[in-house]
Amino acid sequence: MKKFLGLAFAIDRLNAFVGRVACWAILVAIIVSAVNAVVRKAFGVSSNAWLELQWYLFGAVFMLCAPWTLQLNEHIRIDIVASKLSKRVTNIIEVFCHVFFLMVFCGLMVWLCIPFVLNSLASAEASVNAGGLILWPAKALILLGFALVFLQGVAELIKRVAIMRGALQEDAAADLHEAEAERILHELANVDPRISQGGMQP
């Protein structure tokens, strides 16, 4: 079980790294959008490439941060029913849903996206808009995103099974998420002295 947990934590580190890097695309998208708007208003010049770059960047954030979101358990949940169930039943539901929904869906998407990307790459597919960008990198982001979500699903499944077998305390997995949140808070505190362990001070 320790080897499997080692694999799970390695996947966690990979997706956390990819997510942290990808989230900077938000800042780049804001800068591109602002510059494009200023140039268009001030000089009457516009470019389809710059416009398409914005949704490229948005797509990168959405697809590459999704595995990190799953790892941190920050995706939207409606726990009206689950909150009333025992931990054992909840864990069984988690395993079932990971195996028969998440893993199957992501595996199918990876399978379908491989020819989708390869055909686009082979044909040097480009935007139908004049001066637009090539399309295969955007399609490759879809493939990469679902592949990483699949890997994170494997990691979450391993950790859930380890919890059910008593090889991992449920609080330990939560502590990893809390440690990440504390790290981010600590970084913010170094930027803004008003932020402390008690939160934002007025």
Side-chain angles (χ1 to χ4, degrees), residues 7 42 47 75 118 121 130 134 153 160 188 198:
L7 172 62
S47 168
H75 51 289
L118 292 179
L121 178 60
I134 55 176
R160 187 60 53 181
L188 290 173

Side-chain angles (χ1 to χ4, degrees), residues 118-166:
L118 292 179
N119 290 338
S120 179
L121 178 60
S123 62
E125 184 181 8
S127 171
V128 296
N129 298 315
L133 301 175
I134 55 176
L135 292 181
W136 69 262
K139 293 184 176 182
L141 282 173
I142 300 173
L143 172 60
L144 179 59
F146 277 110
L148 291 175
V149 172
F150 182 89
L151 285 177
Q152 190 60 48
V154 172
E156 297 304 311
L157 183 61
I158 291 172
K159 287 183 285 186
R160 187 60 53 181
V161 171
I163 289 171
M164 294 174 68
R165 296 183 59 181

Side-chain angles (χ1 to χ4, degrees), residues 14 34 43 58 62 64 79 82 85 95 104 110 126 136 143 157 181:
L14 170 64
F43 304 102
F58 175 79
F62 186 85
L64 300 183
D79 290 334
L85 301 175
V95 170
V104 171
V110 169
W136 69 262
L143 172 60
L157 183 61

Side-chain angles (χ1 to χ4, degrees), residues 19-137:
R20 290 192 192 99
V21 173
C23 70
W24 283 98
I26 298 174
L27 176 61
V28 178
I30 292 171
I31 294 172
V32 169
S33 178
V35 170
N36 192 42
V38 170
V39 170
R40 185 172 66 252
K41 294 294 184 181
F43 304 102
V45 177
S46 184
S47 168
N48 285 326
W50 284 101
L51 292 173
E52 291 179 1
L53 180 59
Q54 294 174 46
W55 62 260
Y56 263 52
L57 293 168
F58 175 79
V61 173
F62 186 85
M63 294 305 303
L64 300 183
C65 288
W68 192 25
T69 304
L70 176 61
Q71 177 197 139
L72 297 178
N73 198 29
E74 292 295 332
H75 51 289
I76 297 174
R77 286 173 174 265
I78 302 176
D79 290 334
I80 297 175
V81 176
S83 61
K84 299 180 180 179
L85 301 175
S86 67
K87 288 290 185 181
R88 177 176 174 77
V89 174
T90 302
N91 285 332
I92 292 173
I93 292 174
E94 290 280 345
V95 170
F96 179 85
C97 290
H98 274 78
V99 173
F100 293 101
F101 290 96
L102 178 66
M103 309 292 291
V104 171
F105 176 72
C106 290
L108 179 62
M109 290 303 299
V110 169
W111 176 261
L112 294 176
C113 281
I114 291 174
F116 182 64
V117 174
L118 292 179
N119 290 338
S120 179
L121 178 60
S123 62
E125 184 181 8
S127 171
V128 296
N129 298 315
L133 301 175
I134 55 176
L135 292 181
W136 69 262

